[in-house]
Amino acid sequence: MMSVKELSIEMGRRPLKTGEILQGAYRLMNEKFGWFLILSVLVYLPINLVQQFPLLQIDLTGLAALSQSSDVSMEELIQSDQMQAVIKQAGIQAGISVVMLFVELIAIMVTAVILHYQLFIETATDQAGVPYHNQESFGQVFYQGIRMWPRGAATLFFLLLGFLIAVLCLGVLSLSPVMLFVTMPVMIFCMLRFLMYESSSGAVAALRGRIGFDNLNYVRTVLGDRSMYLFGQYTVAILISNGLSMVFNVLMTMSLQYITNQWAAYAASCAIGTLLSILNLYGFTAQVLIFLSREEYLRAQAQQAGTSGQQDPGQRQDKW
């Protein structure tokens, strides 16, 4: 496994392989694990507190008893007060999840700043091996990431709007049972593509200060003709982090069933969910590393070709 210094040097020489991305993300997180743990608490504890609270208001006992009754038809079950309450809470939960995407963007942007600091600032030394820059604290790095959040949020709004339009169009086509088998893979592809651009645009907003369509165009330019190959790397990183998170969340849900007090279960769920968010941060670390690796490689190639004065893409010009 390469050190952080070796990783930063190798990024300018050649594109990193998928295994090197996953190992590099682990190395970077391991060296600043305390920072990532603090970040998970600052971002994901509020997210879990907000997302889990509406679940306390849902009482499924009445609905379960009603569904088991032989005298109640399916139409009556759907129109029952219990089912309407569950549907209402599900709508509230969906709205909260969308809002929480913008809160989670903080984690992506701060992760990008941490990685940039580790790869290009902390490892920079003069010929005598003396660091060019002073050591920074987590508070300084966190501020550098969160101060660009409005730009990242504006970009995420346009990205989310495009994704929702695509989902609605695919949803209309999915009304046909035959088309459902065609649209489902396309919908999964759109979701993965959205997650790829979400992490990349968040990194660009935090490190380059770009906003909106200028941000998304910069991401598209950096990915360039390697877009589909890099999409495969992003997909692997997403599936590993989200897959592990899903498995542990299922195990957590099964374990919490033995806690009879709902407030104790709520507290335990929020605490465990916050700790498991380290897996989300690992996914973001791998995704941001993919983008920074591609960007650094393009910058090095442009510099070798004598075009280092061009900023787009590749020239590292940080806005913080």
Side-chain angles (χ1 to χ4, degrees):
M1 184 183 298
M2 290 184 288
S3 66
V4 175
K5 179 66 175 180
E6 294 170 338
L7 186 65
S8 64
I9 295 174
E10 204 65 28
M11 286 168 59
R13 293 176 176 173
R14 61 176 177 83
L16 296 181
K17 299 177 181 178
T18 304
E20 293 172 330
I21 291 291
L22 298 177
Q23 291 179 356
Y26 175 79
R27 167 74 73 176
L28 291 164
M29 282 198 68
N30 186 55
E31 290 202 356
K32 297 292 184 184
F33 183 76
W35 286 12
F36 283 102
L37 186 60
I38 296 172
L39 180 61
S40 68
V41 173
L42 290 177
V43 175
Y44 284 98
L45 181 57
I47 288 178
N48 282 293
L49 289 172
V50 172
Q51 286 186 328
Q52 295 292 333
F53 184 76
L55 300 180
L56 294 173
Q57 314 301 320
I58 300 177
D59 184 12
L60 298 178
T61 56
L63 182 61
L66 193 63
S67 62
Q68 293 175 0
S69 175
S70 58
D71 299 331
V72 179
S73 64
M74 181 59 68
E75 183 178 355
E76 291 174 334
L77 180 63
I78 294 175
Q79 294 178 354
S80 64
D81 294 337
Q82 293 89 339
M83 179 61 77
Q84 294 301 316
V86 171
I87 294 174
K88 179 181 178 181
Q89 289 297 335
I92 294 174
Q93 192 71 14
I96 291 175
S97 298
V98 173
V99 174
M100 290 302 105
L101 279 176
F102 290 88
V103 179
E104 191 176 44
L105 181 64
I106 297 173
I108 298 175
M109 298 180 69
V110 175
T111 296
V113 176
I114 294 175
L115 263 61
H116 184 275
Y117 172 72
Q118 289 180 272
L119 291 167
F120 304 118
I121 298 179
E122 197 172 39
T123 59
T125 58
D126 57 19
Q127 295 181 350
V130 179
Y132 285 125
H133 302 276
N134 296 326
Q135 294 290 324
E136 295 188 12
S137 65
F138 172 79
Q140 292 172 310
V141 172
F142 184 81
Y143 171 73
Q144 290 162 3
I146 201 173
R147 66 190 288 265
M148 290 293 182
W149 181 84
R151 301 189 182 197
T155 305
L156 179 59
F157 173 80
F158 290 111
L159 186 61
L160 185 61
L161 185 63
F163 173 71
L164 291 178
I165 292 173
V167 169
L168 289 175
C169 293
L170 291 171
V172 173
L173 295 176
S174 299
L175 296 177
S176 170
V178 177
M179 291 299 298
L180 180 62
F181 293 98
V182 179
T183 55
M184 281 303 295
V186 179
M187 192 171 296
I188 294 173
F189 173 82
C190 291
M191 181 185 68
L192 293 172
R193 195 80 174 178
F194 166 78
L195 294 175
M196 179 180 76
Y197 268 82
E198 179 192 19
S199 59
S200 300
S201 63
V204 171
L207 301 174
R208 313 290 172 246
R210 292 175 178 264
I211 183 174
F213 293 109
D214 177 54
N215 184 315
L216 298 175
N217 183 62
Y218 181 82
V219 173
R220 182 186 61 80
T221 304
V222 170
L223 299 179
D225 56 356
R226 299 278 292 177
S227 177
M228 290 308 299
Y229 174 78
L230 296 173
F231 173 74
Q233 290 187 324
Y234 276 96
T235 301
V236 171
I238 292 169
L239 291 179
I240 289 177
S241 61
N242 289 14
L244 290 174
S245 180
M246 186 179 300
V247 170
F248 283 113
N249 275 307
V250 170
L251 294 176
M252 178 189 70
T253 303
M254 294 172 61
S255 301
L256 292 177
Q257 291 179 352
Y258 297 98
I259 302 179
T260 56
N261 186 288
Q262 64 174 355
W263 288 105
Y266 170 66
S269 176
C270 293
I272 297 174
T274 301
L275 292 177
L276 291 179
S277 65
I278 289 292
L279 296 172
N280 298 72
L281 294 180
Y282 173 76
F284 294 147
T285 301
Q287 293 173 61
V288 172
L289 182 59
I290 293 170
F291 184 82
L292 292 181
S293 172
R294 173 65 176 172
E295 188 185 47
E296 178 65 11
Y297 176 72
L298 292 177
R299 186 199 64 80
Q301 292 297 307
Q303 188 175 25
Q304 291 178 5
T307 58
S308 59
Q310 296 181 1
Q311 180 184 341
D312 230 341
Q315 184 176 0
R316 202 162 59 237
Q317 185 175 351
D318 307 321
K319 296 297 183 182
W320 47 270

